[in-house]
Amino acid sequence: MPVYWFALSQVVRPDFWRALLIFFIIHILIYPSSNGFNSYMDRDEGSIGGVKAPLPPTRQLLYVSLAMDAGALLLGLFISVYFVFAAAIYILASRAYSARSIRLKKYPLTGFITVVICQGALIFFMVYHGSHPLLTLHVPALGMISASLLIGGFYPLTQIYQHETDAKDGVKTISAKLGIRGTFIFCGILYAMAFVVLAYFLLISLEIKEFLVFTTCMLPVLVYFMVWAIQVWRNSSRADFGHTMRMNLIASCCTSVGFILVFLMQYI
């Protein structure tokens, strides 16, 4: 959702109905379908995503996720062929990430790059293009890069408590490869890079006030990240489900609120 609001905030006078339809397609169909398919393939027994005790996945979960994908592509035709093409790439990439026959998530770097490009740059493109009044294909490259760096600076933290579970399933995530402390250092570096690129992108667009508002909204994320990192440094058991989900909630909410305010500042 933060990437959605980021892209929308950069479109001057976006088409309201197309923006609303894009929100529905991405957040009600594509994202849940991807998570459902991943759960079906992984058959997780421990905590995963935002669910502490997931129910056993059934065959119906697979059928529902496929139906949601089909619905997303059909609704995408009301936006543009390019949007449908981008949505298809996202869906296929998410399937390749989870499917047992391909299993990109087994490979630390390949899996990581797939996630940050699809959930970052590709989603930014879909929202910017689809909500633009002229359905432009000239999507800001710096915006897409910023979106991918923001995802990259957070995503490995969501894997930090799953190292043992993933290892049993033959999966080696970027977080497991880096280790617990290495994950925090890596995410900190990517977050810093994201803010540098984002600052340059907004400042050359003369969105100085918008950047200051966004950075203010991100202060709780920075504080929680630093406090949690210090706790983990002293006791690695703090890299658990509860702390990860709190980081997830704080980062998602603060980033979304920041970009929503940037969007609203167009009209104030």
Side-chain angles (χ1 to χ4, degrees):
M1 193 177 294
V3 175
Y4 171 88
W5 289 112
F6 176 30
L8 195 64
S9 72
Q10 298 308 301
V11 179
V12 179
R13 304 293 176 183
D15 184 285
F16 174 80
W17 293 110
R18 274 196 265 119
L20 189 63
L21 180 58
I22 292 169
F23 184 93
F24 179 84
I25 291 172
I26 292 176
H27 297 95
I28 307 301
L29 295 176
I30 291 180
Y31 281 163
S33 171
S34 178
N35 287 335
F37 185 85
N38 185 67
S39 294
Y40 178 79
M41 288 295 166
D42 287 357
R43 300 197 171 276
D44 296 298
E45 297 177 354
S47 302
I48 184 72
V51 184
K52 190 171 184 178
L55 295 173
T58 64
R59 192 75 176 174
Q60 286 78 8
L61 178 61
L62 175 63
Y63 298 148
V64 170
S65 67
L66 293 175
M68 293 169 77
D69 287 340
L73 295 177
L74 288 173
L75 287 175
L77 292 173
F78 289 98
I79 299 171
S80 79
V81 173
Y82 295 104
F83 181 90
V84 173
F85 183 68
I89 291 175
Y90 185 99
I91 291 169
L92 291 173
S94 72
R95 297 301 179 263
Y97 182 80
S98 304
R100 290 287 171 179
S101 57
I102 304 175
R103 206 71 168 160
L104 293 181
K105 69 189 302 181
K106 288 194 305 184
Y107 312 103
L109 190 57
T110 304
F112 173 74
I113 291 174
T114 300
V115 170
V116 299
I117 290 178
C118 289
Q119 294 190 10
L122 187 59
I123 291 294
F124 187 97
F125 171 86
M126 290 168 63
V127 177
Y128 190 99
H129 159 72
S131 61
H132 195 281
L134 302 178
L135 291 171
T136 182
L137 294 176
H138 298 290
V139 180
L142 286 176
M144 292 191 288
I145 293 171
S146 300
S148 286
L149 287 173
L150 283 171
I151 295 295
F154 170 71
Y155 184 70
L157 288 175
T158 66
Q159 304 169 323
I160 205 167
Y161 68 94
Q162 298 174 225
H163 294 176
E164 186 176 338
T165 302
D166 287 334
K168 291 179 181 178
D169 194 31
V171 173
K172 189 79 171 180
T173 62
I174 188 75
S175 177
K177 191 75 173 177
L178 292 167
I180 292 176
R181 291 188 176 185
T183 299
F184 276 92
I185 294 172
F186 180 73
C187 289
I189 292 172
L190 284 188
Y191 257 130
M193 291 173 62
F195 270 88
V196 170
V197 176
L198 185 61
Y200 180 72
F201 175 55
L202 293 179
L203 294 178
I204 62 172
S205 303
L206 300 179
E207 297 182 62
I208 300 174
K209 291 181 180 178
E210 287 82 351
F211 178 70
L212 293 176
V213 167
F214 178 74
T215 53
T216 301
C217 291
M218 292 299 290
L219 286 177
V221 181
L222 178 61
V223 171
Y224 184 87
F225 178 84
M226 295 300 297
V227 171
W228 185 25
I230 292 171
Q231 291 177 343
V232 170
W233 236 256
R234 295 172 178 170
N235 183 358
S236 60
S237 66
R238 293 284 186 171
D240 56 15
F241 175 82
H243 285 86
T244 301
M245 289 304 103
R246 278 192 288 275
M247 180 72 202
N248 187 5
L249 181 63
I250 293 171
S252 298
C253 289
C254 290
T255 310
S256 292
V257 168
F259 284 129
I260 288 172
L261 291 175
V262 170
F263 169 70
L264 292 176
M265 288 176 74
Q266 292 186 40
Y267 308 97
I268 298 175

